[in-house]
Amino acid sequence: MNPEEEDGGNKRKRREMGRGKIEIKKIENKTSRQVTFSKRRNGLIKKTRELSVLCDAHIGLIVFSATGKLTQYCSEHSNMPQLIDRYLTKEGLQLPDLNDDRDDLRHEIEILRRETCKLELRLRPYHGHDLASIPPHELDGLEQQLEHSVHKVRERKKELLQQQLGNLSRKRRMLEDDNNNMYRWLHDEHRTGIEFQQAEIETKPMEYQQFLEHVQYYNDHQQQQSSVLQLPTLPSEIDLSYHLQLAQPNLQNDPTITKVD
């Protein structure tokens, strides 16, 4: 292989190994977009500095990132305000003057103040002031306007009262329903308790009678000893086996339980 063919092969190899073309469109990946922005921003600032030094150009560069971060560069022996003023002068533009804005605001405030005073003067007759200077036909119109306003206020007040009465009626019905439900529930519980007690008395009438006699005897015994401070004791005549049977009726026929004498 001759030297010319070898050089041509090397050039083609370098071209194949070189960087390919990149499609110019928005980078969707956020991290990749931020990395690309940082690299290309630094390259842009470098190229701007080189252009300013090589060609003695006055350059001002302002860059805002997607997050709003500001990056700026200004060539040597210049500053950004001077460059912006030169650009505005060259293009025939002018920034708004803050003093002019203040004058406009003062003028608008003065107009609003005069309008407010006029409205206050118009409202004074509605409060009963300055009526002596009003002619009779204007007083008639003022009276009609006030009557119309009073009528509208009364209608609105009536609507509010009707709404309040409706709400109170609904609350009263709800409370009555709750009260009736509670009364029926208590009545059912009371009737169930009475039926249960009657069933117990019917199944064990003798034990119930003995229990009543014991309770009566115990009350008589307590009344006799009411003048002496002592702990109440059960009389010896009370049969403990019957007391146990009333509390636990299922143990009545248990052979393991013996009657205590």
Side-chain angles (χ1 to χ4, degrees):
M1 180 180 294
N2 55 23
E4 293 179 358
E5 293 178 353
E6 185 176 358
D7 292 340
N10 292 333
K11 290 179 180 179
R12 287 194 299 271
K13 186 176 181 180
R14 284 196 298 270
R15 284 198 299 269
E16 292 175 356
M17 294 176 61
R19 184 179 301 173
K21 292 184 178 180
I22 299 176
E23 183 180 2
I24 303 301
K25 65 177 184 178
K26 181 181 178 180
I27 302 174
E28 298 298 335
N29 186 277
K30 186 177 180 180
T31 304
S32 301
R33 185 167 64 245
Q34 183 64 30
V35 172
T36 303
F37 172 79
S38 299
K39 291 181 178 179
R40 298 211 172 201
R41 178 192 57 190
N42 296 334
L44 179 61
I45 294 175
K46 181 180 178 182
K47 293 295 182 181
T48 304
R49 184 183 300 109
E50 293 176 356
L51 179 62
S52 174
V53 173
L54 292 174
C55 302
D56 193 20
H58 298 271
I59 303 175
L61 177 64
I62 299 175
V63 180
F64 285 98
S65 66
T67 59
K69 184 178 179 180
L70 171 65
T71 302
Q72 62 180 348
Y73 169 78
C74 186
S75 57
E76 296 181 358
H77 309 295
S78 299
N79 56 50
M80 192 63 69
Q82 291 178 353
L83 292 175
I84 293 175
D85 290 339
R86 287 182 60 183
Y87 169 76
L88 294 174
T89 304
K90 187 68 177 178
E91 294 294 329
L93 303 176
Q94 187 178 2
L95 293 176
D97 190 1
L98 296 178
N99 294 325
D100 294 340
D101 293 339
R102 292 175 182 174
D103 293 337
D104 294 338
L105 290 175
R106 291 193 188 96
H107 181 64
E108 292 180 2
I109 291 173
E110 185 64 27
I111 293 174
L112 292 174
R113 184 180 292 110
R114 288 197 296 266
E115 293 293 332
T116 303
C117 292
K118 290 179 181 179
L119 292 175
E120 290 178 351
L121 290 175
R122 290 180 182 178
L123 291 175
R124 286 182 63 83
Y126 292 95
H127 297 282
H129 303 295
D130 301 336
L131 297 177
S133 59
I134 299 177
H137 64 278
E138 292 184 4
L139 288 175
D140 294 336
L142 179 62
E143 183 180 5
Q144 292 178 1
Q145 291 180 3
L146 291 175
E147 288 179 353
H148 180 68
S149 300
V150 170
H151 180 68
K152 292 179 65 176
V153 170
R154 288 175 178 173
E155 288 182 351
R156 180 55 182 166
K157 184 178 179 181
K158 187 183 296 183
E159 292 176 358
L160 293 176
L161 289 175
Q162 290 177 355
Q163 292 178 2
Q164 293 178 358
L165 290 175
N167 294 332
L168 291 175
S169 298
R170 286 193 295 271
K171 290 181 180 179
R172 180 179 58 82
R173 287 194 296 269
M174 292 174 61
L175 292 174
E176 288 178 353
D177 294 338
D178 293 340
N179 189 21
N180 293 331
N181 294 331
M182 182 64 69
Y183 175 78
R184 285 193 295 269
W185 181 79
L186 292 174
H187 185 268
D188 294 339
E189 289 292 327
H190 181 67
R191 185 177 60 186
T192 303
I194 293 176
E195 291 177 355
F196 180 76
Q197 292 178 0
Q198 291 178 354
E200 288 290 331
I201 293 172
E202 291 176 357
T203 54
K204 298 178 181 180
M206 295 299 298
E207 295 178 359
Y208 183 73
Q209 185 64 28
Q210 292 177 359
F211 175 75
L212 292 178
E213 293 177 357
H214 293 164
V215 171
Q216 183 65 31
Y217 178 81
Y218 176 72
N219 292 334
D220 297 340
H221 186 70
Q222 285 296 105
Q223 291 178 0
Q224 293 177 1
Q225 297 181 356
S226 59
S227 59
V228 180
L229 180 61
Q230 60 181 1
L231 292 174
T233 57
L234 292 174
S236 59
E237 289 83 355
I238 295 179
D239 195 344
L240 296 177
S241 62
Y242 289 108
H243 181 71
L244 180 61
Q245 290 171 2
L246 285 176
Q248 299 178 357
N250 294 330
L251 302 178
Q252 180 179 359
N253 299 324
D254 193 346
T256 59
I257 300 177
T258 59
K259 184 175 182 182
V260 181
D261 294 332

